[in-house]
Structures are given as structure tokens and as C-alpha cells.
Amino acid sequence: MGIHTDMAVEAHEYFSEKNSRIPSGGAKFLEKPIGTYITFEAEDLRGFENESSLQNRSFIAREIEKLLEKNGISDSAPILVVGLGNREITPDALGPKVVSSVFVSRHLFDHFPQIKNADLRPVCAVSPGVLGTTGIETLEIVKGINEHVHPKCVIVIDSLVARNISRLGKSVQLSDSGISPGSGVGNHRKGLNRDSLGVPVISIGVPMVVDAATITDNIFECSVSMLKNASEKQSKFYEMLSEMKPFERKAIFKEALSGITDELIVTPKDIDETVNDLSKVISAAINLGLHKGDISGYLQ
Amino acid sequence: MGIHTDMAVEAHEYFSEKNSRIPSGGAKFLEKPIGTYITFEAEDLRGFENESSLQNRSFIAREIEKLLEKNGISDSAPILVVGLGNREITPDALGPKVVSSVFVSRHLFDHFPQIKNADLRPVCAVSPGVLGTTGIETLEIVKGINEHVHPKCVIVIDSLVARNISRLGKSVQLSDSGISPGSGVGNHRKGLNRDSLGVPVISIGVPMVVDAATITDNIFECSVSMLKNASEKQSKFYEMLSEMKPFERKAIFKEALSGITDELIVTPKDIDETVNDLSKVISAAINLGLHKGDISGYLQ
Amino acid sequence: MGIHTDMAVEAHEYFSEKNSRIPSGGAKFLEKPIGTYITFEAEDLRGFENESSLQNRSFIAREIEKLLEKNGISDSAPILVVGLGNREITPDALGPKVVSSVFVSRHLFDHFPQIKNADLRPVCAVSPGVLGTTGIETLEIVKGINEHVHPKCVIVIDSLVARNISRLGKSVQLSDSGISPGSGVGNHRKGLNRDSLGVPVISIGVPMVVDAATITDNIFECSVSMLKNASEKQSKFYEMLSEMKPFERKAIFKEALSGITDELIVTPKDIDETVNDLSKVISAAINLGLHKGDISGYLQ
Amino acid sequence: MGIHTDMAVEAHEYFSEKNSRIPSGGAKFLEKPIGTYITFEAEDLRGFENESSLQNRSFIAREIEKLLEKNGISDSAPILVVGLGNREITPDALGPKVVSSVFVSRHLFDHFPQIKNADLRPVCAVSPGVLGTTGIETLEIVKGINEHVHPKCVIVIDSLVARNISRLGKSVQLSDSGISPGSGVGNHRKGLNRDSLGVPVISIGVPMVVDAATITDNIFECSVSMLKNASEKQSKFYEMLSEMKPFERKAIFKEALSGITDELIVTPKDIDETVNDLSKVISAAINLGLHKGDISGYLQ
């Protein structure tokens, strides 16, 4: 509908602009499934060692705990962590990178019985790849693994598309409504949710790109407000622009863009570092949120 | 048994030394399952552009075709390619790297009906990770995917442990007997084979490491032959050494090593490049062996 | 001037639009130093193995040879290859990646006298990093090395900023006028050229990003032409837009963007692969252009 | 002389075994230049977040400060950090990886005068590559940069070859005697020291590999002690072995190995992670040791 965002908070903003009020039946209207959505924003989200980074991690961990509790998942229930995305496309690599830093413990329960007293739970983790590199729908792979592993909950991590460039790499969205078809940088075709997997699905997403139509619109909006005080000819431009509804503009840009290419992404210049840093923060938060006991003795 | 090698040709050599003849009931004695084993050796296996590299690839592709034919797999039958190993340990990353260069076509058959006339077959490919990073037995993951994808054949690629350092990065072993438990650099606990997966399993392996006990023994053997013509005191050493049976020596070294560490590997200095180069060669050979039609139009 | 492009061909186009003719004194007007500029475009520039990719490489190699000849560099004259850019920012990593595949021979001339009969020249290659990660101006590092190595010519490779998204990853610009201050993805502050280095400087650049103001303008232009045939209200929008001169529009967008962030880049989605593939193509072309003799025996 | 180690503490041990006492004129005899050598060992050297890892970093930082002080380098004197080694060979990549995490500040002094009150010093950092990939002696590159940058001290980081496998990834050697020719995993031909660079050179090295002859000897020694209590035939073997002097044995193994290949290295299985983790620890220690002021505001 002329807007592409994976962030509930943005969908809400957008429809607010458009309609001045959110209608009832909100979930459908927002094109987001019903459930709890938490958006956490922090300027210094990428940091790892200072005081505020410890607070960031604790906050995210606490939200994971709350979502588990809300969905009736006990402290010892086994969990499958799924890192969505293509590790060979930098802004889409968040999921696989988080998975490679998540502490996996499921196999230890088979071989070290004493672990049962350590206040840990069985956690396993996979990066299923994307349709374009595996030839298999992500949902099919996750279903197959799910049927052999029997977790009580699935946690999925994904890179998101945002509408507002100022959110890139600076927010985390947590939800218990799963991943919708068509969302994420990699565009999942089939949803990963309680319906398709049979257990609660908690998603953790970070906005990493905006699409090219969005950036155009963002710049456009800035142009409009910038031109308010400008000279005569520009004022005429302003008048024109300000008459258009945002969603009309965006639709035009989107159509125009399809004439060029839809294979462009807009990312922060330092996206490689951003993804590395955030994958550390999120995996640390997951480790903290999933285990009451101390895992440091099991790490390198 | 005092020997660790994943290569059938080496197991054969070893038992030849030890027993001067191979007993009947060979497969069990060689600790290798029954099936066809092909070992292809080439000094310039890593090259990609010259004449002989084209021949190398064609040879490997032809052997894949023969194994498919021998196992009754038709030209249009769907195939699942599985890259075993840990992509974060360089010499173990061959499988995942091959998979990322294999041409996957399975999803195209759903969306582009005209592909059915292109003399291609549906191929899909996954890198399931290793027990230590997923918490799940590789076999369980592959089984789960297999049950959703229903291929007629599974092709697995793995880094192997060799006994002879001169083979590192210079041989390819093809087989239709699957992957045995305990083999590979990553030590798979459960076999991937026709019994466990229900379809033929073709394995493609390249020796990438020798273990530390093996390198000791290799050097030892060289020492012995070197000392044949040496001075008096050294001759006494030689006499002593040459009295020992190889398997006795190796057993001693292996036990000694366990007193130090079993976490050491011996690799060529340029292992990073070796793995990159060989993954290109093997994925090209797989692409050639699996499709009669021309795939170049589908690649970047 | 409301335009950011490192490509001479685009600067030319831009000023053509604006002024309908290029004034004399072109170089200064184009903000490009005087010299030879060759722009080579090919849809399949990234390919490596097929017929047309061999032609691409040969073409680029031949242009390198011509620029060397034009600047009086003999076949045996030593050359320093410099890979500009930050290897940790994907679209800026082209230079360092090319350097890591360039065949270096300078040290062989010291140790293997027989190489003098092989029709090769002494080539050395460095990746000096960028100001932000070294704390040193690139020019200072290159000067220091240059003074010890004494090449007869310096070849620099760099990622460029383009104005037209359809050129990303699809053109190569060769020139003998060096690298200008402020150009490249990494924004070099001081020029690398014959003046600063004392020897001819040949540059090889590939457009890898467009800036966010450019993409806005690109989409805008498409919007305008798209709206030509549109409905009443949109026509009014069209009328307005088409009245504006391109450079006015672009200046507005640029200013608007500075209110958001200047740290965004627009790249193809598959930029990681694009950079890898093109670095292979360009290093192969350099190897071909610099040596009359056969280097294949020295690789591995 | 039958021993290859870059670690002063091991050279000392070795000659102790051989001669029961260290002769006077120690430095020459140890094949190590005169200067201060500090070897810091810690089982958990790789950790980054817990209490003891903070102590490890502080300890290393304090030793850097002491070496600077001992060599008369003031708190505001500019420093050049040099990461030796080949970033494309995993165990040799420590130096380049440390450099990419060192806080560089030299360029900030030019552009932000207020930094002069922040109790920081100008630091710059380069990774010059290795002879095999640049065609230029590392010393020549560092000299050239040194002559333009004029630091008061050079700090070099390098991967070392150890004699004892139990030290791999678990020790840090600091010294103010520079880097000797022939040392390091990459085998530098010409020394980087006060003589060649004109300023004090502080080296920070971590043992990352042992050579194949060393591992053989290590296993051999274990075999000998293991066999002390063994059965008759093995005792004869033991008797034989224990009669040989260690340096005789090692010489034999070394010669034998040269008959096979000298291109093998022995590393811990998890070398990729080890190098990543240690580069973080050492760069953090360098940042701490070089600046009295707080750099956290300048980092991401």
C-alpha cells in the first residue's frame, strides 16, 4: 500500500499521519499480526563495554523473559533459536551472526548429566539460509528441524526494513507474533509463527536498511519543510509538494523506482561494523534472557 | 586401531603395510563401509583457469555422473546437496563454502515453468552446521530437511582427515557409501547414509588436515629412512626404530599426544586460500555433473 | 556544485544537460583534471569464465597497456599498484581486494635471477588503508613507500561514487590523470597524481555507490517522465516538477539530506559478491596488462 | 641450531636443558637481542568481559607503559603502531586485526584542536602486509611511513612461533628489543628495531603456531616419559630414546621434515576464534596503555 516497513511502531505512525486515528481492527489495518510489540531505541545500542550497554542488554533480556512468561514457557523448556537472512549480504547477516554467538546447550544435556543442576535450559540454534541460496523455503527447513528437535518455543532473529533512516541500527523490535510473509530484508514468502510451527514464535528484529523509495520520500519531506521559508519560485514548489498526501507521493516514487531497479538498498556507511556489533549485543541479551544460571564457565 | 584416516586409499595402504595382504571381508577390516571409492589426485587441483583445471573439473563431474547412474538416479531427479563442517574453522569450512557456490534451481521449478525444458534438475543445498555450534546432531537436521524436500539422492561435501601430509589439498575422494560416524574434521557422531536417510548418499571429500600423532609418525618414518646411512650412534637409533612395527609406533604417539592435547591440527600454511580455491573447483564440478543443460544464463 | 560523481563521463553528461554545450576549458569546468579518460561498460562485467568475460579482461588489459605506452613506461619498468579504500566497508573494499589478487614479482627479481628472461616486470602492491583507520593521509603513506621502492609508474584502484545507479558495478573508468582530492567512496583529501608522486599515476575505478541525494534525484526524474501521461492532479505535480532544472532539484535534495544524515550509501543488494567478482576481473586484467610473459607458473 | 622459537622464555628453557647453565654473554647465546623481555601467561587470556580479563588487559597495558617510560617516551609523544603478518593466513593475522581495533588519533590533532586537552597522544597505525603479497620488504614499507610520520616510538604486533604447544594463544611476550630477522610466523627477513628505524621499537607477540618438527619432538618427549613404566619391548625403546639428547633428536626431526615439506603449521583447532579474541584483548590493552585520557567518547 505504498509503505514498506517491518516495524510496528512505524506502521502505526504512518497510518496516524494518513488517517489521524487508528481504526479498530488495528492489526489487520496495520498489516501486522496481533500480538505484543516492543520497540527499544538507544543511540548507543552498538556499544558493548560501558555502563549503558550493560543496561541495554539487560533491558532486551528482560523483554525476552517477559515474552516467554506471557506465552507460558517455563525456565527449563527447550528453545530453538533461528537466525534468518543471508550471511553473504552484509545488512541481512544479522540473524546468522547472532546465531554464531548464541550459547548452545542442548547437546550438553545428553552428555553431562550434572548440567541439569546449573539452572540452564536446552538451547539449540540454526541459520537456515535464504530461498535464493538454498532453493528451499525457510519455513520448510525450520519446520523439518522443529519436528526433530521439539522445542517449546522458537526465537527468530532477522534484519528489518525500516521506513525512517534515523532508526537504522538503533532500535530493536521484539514481538510474539512471529515473522510475516514478505517481511525482512530477504523477503520471506511464508510466515514463521505459532500457526505454521505449532509453538510460540518470538521475533527479534533490527532495522538495517530502508528501500530506495523510502529514502526518496524521507528526503522529500525534509525538502518540503526546508522550503517553507524559501524564495518565490521555490515556494511554488513547496505549495505543490505540501498539497500531496504522503502516501500518494510514496506510491509515485515506488512505481518510478520499479522502472530503474528494485535491487538497491540504502544502508549506513559502516553497516559491516554495525552488524558485527549488534550481533554481539543481541546474542548476549539472548544468553542472559534464556538462562537463569551462569554460562560463563561454558564459554571460551 | 592406531590409525585415523577418512581416506579409503590410505586405510588400504596402512593395512597392507601391517598385514602384507588384505583379508577378505575387506570393508569391515578397513573400517570403511562397502561401496565404490574413487580417489582423484592432482598436483594442480586448486587451479581454476588453465587447461588442466578444466580437465580436473570434468573428471570429477564425470565421476559424480557415474555414481548417480550406478545408484539409479535419473537426470531429472531432485538432489539435496549438504555442506558439512564448521564455517568458522578454516580447514573445516570446505562444505559450507562449496554449498554457497552450488547452483540451486529447485525453487525456480515452482516459479518459472519454462525451466522444465532447460535440461536442468531441481537442486537444493544446505549447510547444517556442526553439533558444537547448533546443539543438534547433523543427522537430525539433515533428516528433518530431507523429509520436507524429498530428494532422490543426497550429496554431502566434507573436509577429511588424512594420514599422509602429501595428500592435503591434492586429492578428492568420491564414494557412494555415505559418511561414517567419527569421520571428517568435525567428527560426525552419526552416519549420513542410505540407511539413515532412505536415499543414496554420495560423498565428496578433500583431505585438509592430519592429526598431530600422524605428523609425528610421518616425520618418524622419514627419520628412519634418513638414518640408514648415518653415523654409528645414529645407526643404533635407526636399528631400534626399524624394529618397531608402524602401528605400534603410532599407538604410542597417539597415547602420548592425549597427554598433551587433542585440540591441535596440522594444516598447510596457505589453508585459507586452499579451501577457497577447492570450494570453487568442487562446486563447479557438481554444477557440471548434476545438469546436462547450460546453467550459465542463470548465474550472475 | 550540486553534483557528486567520480566519473568523467557523467560529469560530461551532467554539464551537457545543464548548459546544452561543454564550454572550452573543459577540465576545470568538469572538476576533473586533464588527461585521458576511458569508460568501459558491460552488462556482464562480473563474469569470469565465459567467452565475453575473457574479452572484457583483454579490453581492460589493453587500455592499461595503452596508458603505460602513452606515458612512456617501458615493458620492464617497475610498477607500484595501490589499492585505495577501507577493506572493512564492503563497497569501499575493491582496491584492497584487487591488490590481494595482483601478481607481485618485485621480490622475485632479487632472489631468482632467471626471472629476468621471463618477460615479466617487477610489480609490487600495497593497501595503505584510509585516514579514519590509520590516522595518516593516504598520500603520505604512498609517498613514503614510493620513495623506497622507486617505481616508474603508480597504478591506483578505487571504488567510485556514480551519479547514475544503472552504472553501479557495470563500468570501469581508466585514466592517467590520477585520483583527485575528495573523490572515491572514502573521500581522499589529497590527490595522488604525477605532481604529488613524481611519476605517472594511472587510476582504475569502478562505481560502487551513489549517494542518497542522487538516488532521490534519479527516482524523481523517473517520476516526472512517468507522470507525463497521468491523471489530472498528478499532471499538476508533473508540471511543477518538470519546470525545475535538474541541478536546482538536486541542490535542494542535497541540502535536505544534510538535515538527516550524510552517512548513508545506496548500493546494489549483492554488493558483497559484486566487489568479490570485480576484484577478480580487474586483478586479472592488471596481471595481463603488466606482463608480456606468462605468470601462471608463479601463481598458487 | 635445531630450535625455532620466538619466545625468549623458551630459548632460555631450551639452553638450560642443554647446558645446565646459561653462559654469560646470554643474549647472543640465546639468539635474542639484548633488551627487556616480559612474558605474561594466563589460561583465560582470550576472555573479554569478566573480572580476570580486565586484570589481564590492565597488566599488559601497564607493561606497555613501563617499556615506554624506560625508553624515555613521554605521555604526549606520537606513536606508530604496526601490525605485522598476513591477514589472509589465519594464525598470522593477529597484527592486522589488532591494528584494525587500535584507536587512531593522529589525524584528530590536525582537525580538532580541543583534543589537546584530552590527555591523549597522537597514535597512527598501519598493516604493511608481508613480502610474499606486497613484493616489498616489511622494513622498507615501515621505514617509508616512519619518515613521513615521525613517531617517537614504534609498537609492532606479531604472531610468534612457539616451542611449547601449551603456550599457544595463552602468553603475550612484550619486549623493547624489536623484531629479529627470521622471526614471526611470516619470517621477516630484516629486523625492525632502533637501529633500522631510529626510534625505540616495542614488540608485542603472541605464540600462535609451532612448527611440525617441534610438535614431533613434544610428542616424543611425552612418549619417553610415558614409557618409563611400560613393558619389556617398550622399555628397550625407552632406553634408546632417553639416551638421546633433546637437541640431537630435534635436529634429526627437522632434517627429516625438510624431506617432506616445510609448509605445514600446527595450530589449535579454534585458531580463527583465538585470533579474533586475542586481537580484541591486545588492542584494548594498547589503547589503555597509550592514552591517559578517556577514549570512549571517540569510539563508536
Side-chain angles (χ1 to χ4, degrees):
Chain A
M1 288 300 103
I3 174 165
H4 184 185
T5 174
D6 296 331
M7 304 203 70
V9 67
E10 293 190 337
H12 189 284
E13 287 165 10
Y14 178 76
F15 284 99
S16 303
E17 283 168 27
K18 194 172 164 185
N19 295 72
S20 47
R21 64 179 189 82
I22 298 283
S24 58
K28 185 162 177 297
F29 195 72
L30 288 173
E31 301 179 43
K32 297 284 160 210
I34 294 179
T36 301
Y37 289 89
I38 301 108
T39 303
F40 173 63
E41 304 200 12
E43 264 308 308
D44 58 348
L45 190 57
R46 284 170 51 182
F48 202 76
E49 276 190 274
N50 52 22
E51 199 57 37
S52 71
S53 74
L54 289 174
Q55 286 169 5
N56 291 343
R57 263 180 287 165
S58 297
F59 180 90
I60 300 169
R62 184 76 194 101
E63 293 302 322
I64 295 171
E65 285 173 53
K66 282 196 238 166
L67 286 172
L68 289 171
E69 209 180 312
K70 183 192 150 203
N71 285 276
I73 311 300
S74 79
D75 288 355
S76 61
I79 285 178
L80 169 62
V81 179
V82 177
L84 299 176
N86 185 343
R87 73 175 71 233
E88 286 164 41
I89 293 180
T90 306
D92 201 25
L94 181 74
K97 278 185 187 269
V98 167
V99 155
S100 74
S101 297
V102 161
F103 169 59
V104 298
S105 52
R106 180 176 171 271
H107 57 314
L108 303 177
F109 279 76
D110 291 339
H111 301 98
F112 305 101
Q114 69 276 25
I115 203 174
K116 279 164 193 155
N117 307 320
D119 240 354
L120 307 177
R121 73 164 85 227
V123 172
C124 55
V126 294
S127 294
V130 296
L131 181 64
T133 63
T134 63
I136 312 171
E137 278 285 347
T138 303
L139 175 60
E140 295 306 303
I141 295 182
V142 177
K143 259 187 185 170
I145 296 169
N146 190 40
E147 287 159 12
H148 279 262
V149 164
H150 303 299
K152 293 289 183 204
C153 175
V154 171
I155 296 180
V156 295
I157 297 100
D158 202 7
S159 298
L160 303 180
V161 177
R163 192 188 157 224
N164 190 320
I165 53 176
S166 67
R167 282 205 176 87
L168 297 185
K170 287 174 189 152
S171 328
V172 179
Q173 172 175 288
L174 295 110
S175 165
D176 59 356
S177 62
I179 295 277
S180 314
S183 65
V185 173
N187 250 320
H188 317 296
R189 305 231 181 131
K190 294 181 181 172
L192 278 78
N193 48 45
R194 188 194 276 257
D195 276 356
S196 59
L197 292 176
V199 292
V201 175
I202 293 174
S203 65
I204 304 175
V206 178
M208 286 297 183
V209 305
V210 294
D211 63 34
T214 296
I215 188 81
T216 302
D217 200 50
N218 277 220
I219 294 177
F220 218 99
E221 263 175 84
C222 283
S223 303
V224 172
S225 58
M226 193 178 77
L227 291 172
K228 276 191 185 165
N229 314 311
S231 66
E232 199 265 333
K233 193 170 77 187
Q234 286 177 333
S235 295
K236 193 180 153 200
F237 185 52
Y238 162 66
E239 197 181 301
M240 173 61 227
L241 293 179
S242 51
E243 260 173 43
M244 296 195 79
K245 300 260 166 35
F247 64 97
E248 288 170 344
R249 256 172 23 208
K250 184 73 179 278
I252 291 169
F253 295 150
K254 197 149 194 168
E255 202 185 327
L257 185 69
S258 74
I260 313 180
T261 169
D262 55 351
E263 288 302 306
L264 292 176
I265 47 171
V266 184
T267 67
K269 222 179 203 176
D270 58 354
I271 184 71
D272 302 68
E273 273 185 40
T274 303
V275 171
N276 280 336
D277 292 352
L278 288 178
S279 68
K280 297 254 167 62
V281 171
I282 291 174
S283 57
I286 290 175
N287 291 342
L288 207 59
L290 294 191
H291 304 283
K292 293 246 177 290
D294 180 19
I295 65 167
S296 66
Y298 300 86
L299 300 175
Q300 269 309 342
Chain B
M1 285 291 107
I3 175 165
H4 184 186
T5 176
D6 296 329
M7 304 203 70
V9 67
E10 294 190 337
H12 189 284
E13 286 166 10
Y14 178 74
F15 285 98
S16 303
E17 283 168 27
K18 193 171 164 185
N19 294 73
S20 44
R21 63 180 190 83
I22 297 283
S24 58
K28 186 162 177 296
F29 195 73
L30 288 173
E31 302 180 43
K32 297 284 160 209
I34 294 180
T36 301
Y37 291 88
I38 301 108
T39 303
F40 173 63
E41 303 200 11
E43 263 307 308
D44 59 349
L45 190 57
R46 285 171 48 183
F48 201 77
E49 278 190 273
N50 52 22
E51 200 57 37
S52 71
S53 75
L54 289 174
Q55 287 169 4
N56 291 343
R57 262 180 288 166
S58 298
F59 181 90
I60 300 170
R62 185 74 193 103
E63 293 301 324
I64 294 171
E65 286 174 51
K66 281 196 240 168
L67 287 171
L68 289 171
E69 209 181 312
K70 185 193 149 202
N71 285 276
I73 312 298
S74 79
D75 286 356
S76 62
I79 285 180
L80 169 62
V81 179
V82 177
L84 298 176
N86 184 345
R87 73 174 71 234
E88 286 165 41
I89 293 179
T90 307
D92 201 26
L94 181 73
K97 278 184 187 270
V98 167
V99 155
S100 73
S101 297
V102 160
F103 169 58
V104 298
S105 53
R106 180 175 172 271
H107 57 313
L108 304 176
F109 280 75
D110 291 339
H111 302 97
F112 305 101
Q114 68 275 25
I115 203 173
K116 278 166 192 154
N117 308 319
D119 240 354
L120 306 177
R121 74 165 83 227
V123 172
C124 54
V126 293
S127 294
V130 296
L131 181 63
T133 63
T134 63
I136 312 170
E137 278 285 345
T138 304
L139 175 60
E140 296 306 303
I141 295 181
V142 177
K143 261 188 184 170
I145 296 168
N146 190 41
E147 287 159 12
H148 279 262
V149 165
H150 303 299
K152 293 289 184 204
C153 175
V154 171
I155 296 181
V156 295
I157 298 99
D158 201 7
S159 299
L160 304 180
V161 177
R163 192 186 156 224
N164 191 321
I165 54 176
S166 66
R167 282 204 177 86
L168 297 184
K170 287 174 187 152
S171 329
V172 179
Q173 173 176 286
L174 296 109
S175 166
D176 60 357
S177 63
I179 295 276
S180 314
S183 65
V185 172
N187 251 319
H188 318 297
R189 307 234 179 127
K190 293 180 181 173
L192 278 79
N193 48 45
R194 188 193 275 255
D195 277 355
S196 58
L197 292 175
V199 293
V201 175
I202 293 175
S203 65
I204 303 176
V206 178
M208 286 297 182
V209 305
V210 294
D211 63 33
T214 297
I215 188 78
T216 302
D217 199 50
N218 276 221
I219 295 177
F220 218 99
E221 264 176 84
C222 283
S223 303
V224 172
S225 59
M226 193 179 78
L227 291 172
K228 274 191 187 165
N229 313 311
S231 65
E232 201 264 332
K233 194 171 76 187
Q234 286 176 333
S235 295
K236 192 179 156 201
F237 185 51
Y238 162 66
E239 195 182 303
M240 175 62 227
L241 293 179
S242 51
E243 261 173 42
M244 295 194 81
K245 299 260 164 37
F247 63 96
E248 289 170 344
R249 256 172 23 210
K250 185 72 178 281
I252 290 169
F253 294 151
K254 199 150 193 169
E255 201 185 328
L257 185 68
S258 73
I260 313 181
T261 170
D262 55 350
E263 288 301 307
L264 293 175
I265 49 173
V266 185
T267 68
K269 221 179 204 176
D270 58 354
I271 184 72
D272 301 68
E273 274 186 38
T274 303
V275 170
N276 280 336
D277 292 353
L278 288 178
S279 68
K280 297 256 166 60
V281 171
I282 291 175
S283 57
I286 290 175
N287 291 342
L288 206 60
L290 294 191
H291 304 284
K292 292 248 176 288
D294 180 19
I295 65 167
S296 65
Y298 300 87
L299 299 176
Q300 269 310 339
Chain C
M1 283 291 108
I3 175 166
H4 184 186
T5 175
D6 297 330
M7 303 204 70
V9 67
E10 293 191 336
H12 190 282
E13 287 166 9
Y14 179 75
F15 285 99
S16 303
E17 283 168 27
K18 193 172 165 185
N19 294 72
S20 42
R21 63 178 190 84
I22 297 282
S24 59
K28 184 161 179 297
F29 196 73
L30 288 173
E31 301 178 45
K32 299 282 159 210
I34 293 180
T36 301
Y37 290 89
I38 302 108
T39 303
F40 173 63
E41 304 200 12
E43 263 307 309
D44 58 349
L45 190 57
R46 285 171 50 183
F48 202 77
E49 277 189 274
N50 52 23
E51 201 55 38
S52 71
S53 75
L54 289 173
Q55 286 170 5
N56 290 343
R57 264 180 287 166
S58 298
F59 181 90
I60 300 169
R62 185 74 194 103
E63 293 302 323
I64 294 171
E65 284 173 52
K66 282 196 238 168
L67 286 172
L68 289 172
E69 209 181 312
K70 184 193 149 203
N71 285 276
I73 313 298
S74 80
D75 288 354
S76 61
I79 285 179
L80 169 63
V81 179
V82 177
L84 299 176
N86 184 346
R87 74 175 70 234
E88 286 165 41
I89 293 179
T90 307
D92 201 25
L94 181 74
K97 278 184 188 270
V98 167
V99 155
S100 74
S101 297
V102 160
F103 169 58
V104 298
S105 53
R106 181 175 171 271
H107 57 312
L108 304 176
F109 280 75
D110 291 339
H111 302 98
F112 305 101
Q114 69 276 25
I115 202 173
K116 278 165 192 153
N117 307 318
D119 240 353
L120 306 177
R121 74 165 84 226
V123 172
C124 55
V126 293
S127 294
V130 296
L131 182 63
T133 62
T134 63
I136 312 171
E137 277 286 347
T138 303
L139 175 60
E140 296 306 302
I141 295 181
V142 178
K143 260 188 184 170
I145 296 169
N146 190 41
E147 287 160 12
H148 280 262
V149 165
H150 303 300
K152 293 290 183 204
C153 176
V154 171
I155 296 181
V156 295
I157 298 100
D158 202 7
S159 298
L160 304 180
V161 177
R163 192 187 155 225
N164 190 321
I165 54 175
S166 67
R167 282 203 177 88
L168 297 185
K170 287 175 187 150
S171 328
V172 179
Q173 172 175 286
L174 296 109
S175 166
D176 60 357
S177 62
I179 295 277
S180 314
S183 66
V185 173
N187 252 318
H188 318 295
R189 306 232 181 129
K190 294 181 180 172
L192 278 78
N193 48 46
R194 188 194 275 258
D195 277 355
S196 59
L197 293 176
V199 293
V201 175
I202 293 174
S203 65
I204 304 175
V206 178
M208 287 297 182
V209 304
V210 295
D211 63 34
T214 297
I215 188 77
T216 301
D217 200 49
N218 275 222
I219 294 177
F220 220 100
E221 264 175 84
C222 283
S223 304
V224 172
S225 58
M226 193 178 77
L227 291 171
K228 274 189 188 166
N229 313 310
S231 66
E232 200 265 332
K233 192 171 80 187
Q234 286 177 335
S235 297
K236 193 178 154 200
F237 185 51
Y238 162 66
E239 196 182 301
M240 174 61 227
L241 293 179
S242 52
E243 262 174 43
M244 298 194 78
K245 299 261 166 34
F247 63 96
E248 289 170 344
R249 257 173 20 210
K250 185 73 178 281
I252 291 169
F253 295 150
K254 198 150 192 169
E255 200 184 328
L257 186 69
S258 73
I260 312 181
T261 170
D262 56 351
E263 288 302 306
L264 292 177
I265 49 173
V266 184
T267 67
K269 221 180 204 176
D270 59 353
I271 183 70
D272 302 69
E273 274 186 40
T274 303
V275 170
N276 280 336
D277 291 352
L278 288 178
S279 68
K280 297 256 165 61
V281 171
I282 291 175
S283 57
I286 291 175
N287 291 342
L288 207 60
L290 294 191
H291 304 284
K292 293 247 177 290
D294 180 19
I295 65 167
S296 64
Y298 300 88
L299 300 177
Q300 263 310 330
Chain D
M1 289 298 104
I3 175 166
H4 184 185
T5 176
D6 296 332
M7 304 203 70
V9 66
E10 294 189 337
H12 189 284
E13 286 166 8
Y14 179 75
F15 285 99
S16 303
E17 283 169 27
K18 194 172 162 184
N19 294 72
S20 47
R21 64 181 189 82
I22 298 283
S24 58
K28 185 161 177 297
F29 196 72
L30 288 173
E31 300 179 44
K32 297 285 159 208
I34 294 181
T36 301
Y37 290 90
I38 301 107
T39 304
F40 173 63
E41 304 200 10
E43 263 307 308
D44 59 348
L45 190 56
R46 286 170 51 181
F48 202 76
E49 277 191 272
N50 52 23
E51 200 57 39
S52 70
S53 75
L54 289 174
Q55 287 170 4
N56 290 344
R57 264 181 285 167
S58 298
F59 181 90
I60 300 169
R62 185 75 194 102
E63 293 301 322
I64 294 171
E65 286 174 52
K66 282 196 238 166
L67 287 171
L68 290 172
E69 210 182 311
K70 182 191 150 203
N71 286 276
I73 311 300
S74 79
D75 287 355
S76 62
I79 285 179
L80 169 61
V81 179
V82 177
L84 299 176
N86 184 344
R87 74 175 71 233
E88 286 165 40
I89 293 180
T90 306
D92 202 26
L94 180 74
K97 278 184 187 268
V98 167
V99 155
S100 74
S101 297
V102 161
F103 169 59
V104 297
S105 53
R106 180 176 171 271
H107 57 312
L108 304 177
F109 280 76
D110 292 339
H111 302 98
F112 306 101
Q114 67 277 25
I115 203 174
K116 277 164 194 154
N117 308 319
D119 240 354
L120 306 177
R121 73 164 85 227
V123 172
C124 55
V126 293
S127 293
V130 297
L131 181 63
T133 63
T134 63
I136 312 171
E137 277 285 346
T138 303
L139 176 60
E140 296 306 303
I141 296 182
V142 178
K143 259 187 185 169
I145 297 169
N146 191 39
E147 287 160 13
H148 279 263
V149 165
H150 304 299
K152 293 289 183 206
C153 175
V154 171
I155 296 182
V156 295
I157 297 98
D158 202 7
S159 298
L160 303 180
V161 177
R163 193 188 157 224
N164 190 321
I165 53 175
S166 67
R167 282 205 177 86
L168 297 184
K170 287 176 188 151
S171 327
V172 179
Q173 174 177 285
L174 295 110
S175 165
D176 60 356
S177 62
I179 294 277
S180 315
S183 65
V185 172
N187 251 319
H188 317 296
R189 305 232 182 131
K190 294 180 180 172
L192 279 79
N193 48 45
R194 188 193 276 256
D195 277 356
S196 59
L197 293 176
V199 293
V201 175
I202 293 175
S203 66
I204 303 176
V206 178
M208 286 297 183
V209 305
V210 294
D211 64 33
T214 296
I215 188 78
T216 303
D217 200 50
N218 276 221
I219 294 177
F220 220 99
E221 265 176 81
C222 283
S223 303
V224 172
S225 58
M226 193 179 77
L227 291 171
K228 275 190 185 164
N229 314 311
S231 65
E232 200 266 332
K233 194 170 79 188
Q234 287 176 333
S235 296
K236 194 179 154 200
F237 185 52
Y238 161 66
E239 197 181 300
M240 174 61 228
L241 294 179
S242 52
E243 261 173 41
M244 297 194 79
K245 299 260 167 35
F247 64 95
E248 289 171 343
R249 257 173 21 208
K250 184 72 178 279
I252 291 169
F253 294 150
K254 199 150 193 170
E255 202 185 327
L257 186 68
S258 73
I260 313 181
T261 171
D262 56 350
E263 288 301 306
L264 292 176
I265 49 171
V266 184
T267 68
K269 222 178 203 175
D270 58 353
I271 184 71
D272 302 69
E273 274 186 39
T274 303
V275 171
N276 280 337
D277 292 351
L278 287 178
S279 69
K280 298 254 165 63
V281 171
I282 291 174
S283 58
I286 290 175
N287 291 342
L288 206 60
L290 294 191
H291 304 284
K292 293 246 177 291
D294 180 18
I295 65 167
S296 66
Y298 300 86
L299 300 176
Q300 269 309 343

